[in-house]
Amino acid sequence: MSEMEGAEVAEDVGKIFAQFKSATGDLTGPQLEVPLNLTSRQLNGVLNELMGNERAEPYSFFIDDQEVAGTLQSMVDDLKLSTEVVVSITYQPQATFRVSEVTRCSGTLPGHTEAILCCAFSPDCKLLMTGSGDATLRLWEISTETATGTCKGHKNWVLCCAFSPDGAMAASGSMDKDCRIWDPKSAQQMGKPLTGHSKWITSLAWEPIHLLPDGQCRRLVTASKDGTLRVWDAPTSRTLFVLSGHTSSVTSVRWSGQGLVMSGSEDRTIKVWDPVKGILCRSLEGHAHWVNHVALSTDHAMRNAPPNAKERLLSPQQRYETALGADGIERMVSASDDHTMYLWEPSRSKKPIVRMTGHVQPINHVSFSPNGRMIASASFDKSVRLWNGVTGKYLATLRGHVGAVYQVAWSSDSRLLVSASKDSTLKLWDVEVGSKTFGKLRIDLPGHADEVFACDWSADGAKVASGVQGLLSEALAPLATSSTFATRSVGWNTSKAPVAALNGQHGG
C-alpha cells in the first residue's frame, strides 16, 4: 500500500476490491484491494502507477455514474454498496490544461449605440461577433480589441448570432423576421436575406461539421416567434424545409450531432425533427410552462473550436465521439418557466431521464460543461445551480448575484464558470469537482453600468465576452470579455498580466 501516494492505511480502515475500467469499458489492470479512505487524488496516483505513466495524468473517477469527490467510504455509504463484491471504478481523463481565472476588465469596445443582446466567438477564437438593439452586428479582432467591420442590413434588433463551425460564415436573426448570412472577413452580407418567417427569429443553429462529408457548412435552422422552424441552404438563401408542429413561439433550437434538430417552445413541448426529410420524429412533454432553453451535452465539441494543440490534431468526428463518452449517448437538458428542468436522451426516448427541481423562479438558460459531466442553470431566482450531467443529480447552488441571472458560460477545461446578471456584474465560480472551494465565488467582475444580457467564453480560454443593456459612454457600453470586451464592449483579463502580454492560451 506504500505505492498509493500517501494513503495511510490504519489497522481499522475498511477495504474493498476494486476494478478500474476505462470510459470505453476496457479493464485496466487486475482487481485490487484498496482502503476505503482513499480520495480521488490518491486513486489518481494508484491508476497512474498501474498504467505505468511516466508523467502523471489527471483523471476523474466514477462509481455507478457518480463522480468520486470525497473518499471511497463516502461513495459506498451514499450508494449503499456492498463491500463483499468487486466495485467497478470508471476513469475518464481530465483536461490536461488549465484555463486562467478572469481577473479584470481589459478593455472596452465602443461602437454599438444600443444594448448588446448576443455575442459569439469564432471557432478559431480570433474574432468576436456582437449583435445589438441598434440593428447591426460588429466583428472585433480579439488580439487588438478593434472592430474589423460592421454588418448592416437588419432593420430591427439583432436577437441571435452564431459562426458556422467551419468559420467561413456567420448568421444572425432579428426582430425584422429575417436571417442574414455574413462573411466574417469582410463583414459583408452573403447572398439575399433568408426571408419566410412571419414573426421575429428567436434562435438559430448550424449543422455540425462532423456530419458534412466535405467539411463545408451550408445548412442552418432558424426558430421563430411564429411557431415554425426553417431549414436553409445558406449559400443559396433557399428554404429547404419548413418544420411546423409547435402551437406557440419556438424559443430555442439545437442541431444535434446525430443529425436531429431539437426545438423548445412556449407550447411546453420539445420537438425532435429530421432535417433531412423535414418530418417530426417525436414530441417530448412534461413541462407545465414555457420551455425557455435547450442545450446538448455535445454543444462545446460541436463549436469545432479545439482548445489546444492536442485536440486540434483530432478530427471533428473524433472530438464529437469523445464528447459522447463511453455510453455514446447525446443528452439534452430543457429549462422552463415552471422552475424545473428535464434531462433527456432525445434520440432514444420520449421519456425524460429525470426531473430536476430546486429553482424557485423561471430558468432562463442552461449549459452543459465541455466534458458533459455537469449542467449549469441560470434562473430569475438570482442563483446558478449545478447538476450532474449524466444523472441530473443536484450538486450545488451558486449564490451571490442580487438580480436575475441571464446566462452562463464555461471555461473549456470545465473547471470555471462565469455568470451574467441583471445586477450589472459577471461572477466567476470555482466548479472543479473535488476542489475545496467547489461552488464558491472566485472573483466578482463589476464594470458594466446596467444589466448584463449575454456572455461567452472563448474556446482557447483567453477571453470572456459580456454584453449589457445600457448605452454607456465611449468606454462603457454593452459588452465585456475575459481579456477583452464590452460595448461598451468590456474585456476581462484571464491573467493579472497586462493585456498585451496575454499571448499564451492557458494558465498553468
Side-chain angles (χ1 to χ4, degrees):
M1 291 297 171
S2 59
E3 298 174 348
M4 295 187 180
E5 279 210 344
E8 299 179 3
V9 185
E11 291 290 331
D12 58 347
V13 172
K15 299 179 182 179
I16 58 169
F17 281 96
Q19 173 66 65
F20 288 102
K21 69 175 183 179
S22 69
T24 57
D26 298 324
L27 301 183
T28 302
Q31 295 177 6
L32 299 175
E33 187 179 26
V34 296
L36 287 169
N37 64 352
L38 285 190
T39 64
S40 58
R41 188 182 188 89
Q42 292 164 334
L43 284 173
N44 205 73
V46 174
L47 181 61
N48 272 284
E49 187 166 330
L50 195 62
M51 298 176 72
N53 294 335
E54 292 185 7
R55 180 177 177 180
E57 299 288 340
Y59 296 94
S60 295
F61 299 92
F62 301 83
I63 299 174
D64 290 349
D65 292 328
Q66 301 270 357
E67 185 162 3
V68 179
T71 63
L72 289 178
Q73 181 70 64
S74 65
M75 295 297 293
V76 168
D77 294 342
D78 291 346
L79 298 174
K80 296 180 172 56
L81 300 175
S82 171
T83 56
E84 303 298 322
V85 298
V86 177
V87 175
S88 180
I89 302 178
T90 302
Y91 62 89
Q92 293 183 14
Q94 293 182 2
T96 54
F97 59 92
R98 296 186 75 91
V99 173
S100 296
E101 292 182 353
V102 181
T103 58
R104 63 183 175 87
C105 175
S106 66
T108 61
L109 306 181
H112 285 297
T113 58
E114 294 287 346
I116 291 180
L117 304 175
C118 57
C119 61
F121 285 99
S122 62
D124 62 8
C125 303
K126 294 180 179 179
L127 294 174
L128 175 77
M129 173 174 270
T130 57
S132 170
D134 64 11
T136 69
L137 297 104
R138 284 183 173 253
L139 289 162
W140 311 87
E141 186 177 73
I142 302 298
S143 59
T144 61
E145 300 184 13
T146 57
T148 62
T150 302
C151 304
K152 297 181 179 180
H154 285 299
K155 298 177 179 63
N156 209 326
W157 298 356
V158 180
L159 300 178
C160 51
C161 63
F163 285 92
S164 61
D166 62 2
M169 294 180 282
S172 59
S174 169
M175 283 278 286
D176 65 12
K177 312 172 191 175
D178 294 345
C179 176
R180 293 175 187 259
I181 307 300
W182 310 93
D183 180 351
K185 294 180 180 178
S186 65
Q188 297 300 306
Q189 184 173 314
M190 301 174 69
K192 299 181 295 182
L194 310 186
T195 59
H197 285 296
S198 60
K199 293 185 179 179
W200 61 84
I201 294 173
T202 57
S203 182
L204 58 84
W206 288 90
E207 183 174 18
I209 195 170
H210 70 269
L211 298 176
L212 309 173
D214 59 0
Q216 295 183 346
C217 296
R218 295 185 64 93
R219 299 199 299 166
L220 77 156
V221 61
T222 55
S224 172
K225 176 73 173 177
D226 65 15
T228 69
L229 299 103
R230 286 179 175 256
V231 180
W232 309 85
D233 180 65
T236 62
S237 306
R238 286 191 307 117
T239 299
L240 300 178
F241 295 104
V242 179
L243 307 178
S244 302
H246 284 295
T247 58
S248 189
S249 173
V250 186
T251 54
S252 182
V253 65
R254 286 289 187 274
W255 199 314
S256 84
Q258 296 173 334
L260 300 171
V261 168
M262 325 293 186
S263 59
S265 168
E266 289 182 2
D267 66 10
R268 303 179 297 178
T269 69
I270 301 101
K271 295 192 184 296
V272 182
W273 310 85
D274 182 338
V276 175
K277 298 179 181 178
I279 60 173
L280 177 66
C281 298
R282 58 182 60 93
S283 184
L284 313 180
E285 300 180 0
H287 284 295
H289 211 306
W290 298 347
V291 177
N292 293 325
H293 197 240
V294 296
L296 295 170
S297 58
T298 54
D299 276 342
H300 186 80
M302 291 190 295
R303 289 178 69 171
N304 193 38
N308 55 30
K310 182 178 179 180
E311 289 202 21
R312 279 193 287 273
L313 296 175
L314 302 177
S315 68
Q317 179 66 35
Q318 289 172 318
R319 288 196 292 272
Y320 173 73
E321 290 174 353
T322 300
L324 283 180
D327 54 13
I329 297 173
E330 190 171 46
R331 296 177 180 84
M332 180 184 72
V333 63
S334 57
S336 170
D337 258 23
D338 66 9
H339 312 172
T340 72
M341 301 153 60
Y342 279 94
L343 188 61
W344 311 84
E345 294 176 4
S347 63
R348 293 186 171 196
S349 173
K350 289 184 178 182
K351 295 182 179 180
I353 299 171
V354 67
R355 181 173 183 254
M356 302 149 72
T357 61
H359 283 296
V360 294
Q361 288 191 34
I363 304 166
N364 191 53
H365 185 257
V366 283
S367 179
F368 277 90
S369 61
N371 60 19
R373 297 174 200 161
M374 281 190 288
I375 297 167
S377 56
S379 171
F380 285 96
D381 65 11
K382 307 175 187 177
S383 74
V384 176
R385 286 181 177 248
L386 298 178
W387 316 80
N388 184 296
V390 177
T391 65
K393 180 182 177 182
Y394 166 77
L395 298 177
T397 300
L398 314 183
R399 300 191 186 279
H401 283 294
V402 294
V405 186
Y406 292 142
Q407 209 170 69
V408 294
W410 292 86
S411 64
S412 52
D413 63 357
S414 301
R415 294 183 174 109
L416 296 169
L417 183 77
V418 67
S419 55
S421 170
K422 182 179 180 178
D423 66 11
S424 79
T425 70
L426 291 176
K427 293 188 187 295
L428 183 72
W429 309 90
D430 180 352
V431 292
E432 183 177 3
V433 175
S435 167
K436 292 181 179 179
T437 55
F438 175 76
K440 302 298 183 184
L441 178 66
R442 292 289 287 267
I443 298 176
D444 201 350
L445 299 169
H448 290 303
D450 214 325
E451 303 177 41
V452 187
F453 285 143
C455 64
D456 193 19
W457 201 319
S458 63
D460 64 7
K463 313 287 183 181
V464 170
S466 61
V468 301
Q469 172 185 0
L471 286 191
L472 303 180
S473 59
E474 200 175 347
L476 246 187
L479 171 129
T481 85
S482 152
S483 257
T484 53
F485 326 110
T487 120
R488 165 172 162 160
S489 273
V490 174
W492 304 100
N493 226 329
T494 56
S495 166
K496 294 181 180 178
V499 177
L502 292 175
N503 297 320
Q505 290 187 342
H506 303 291

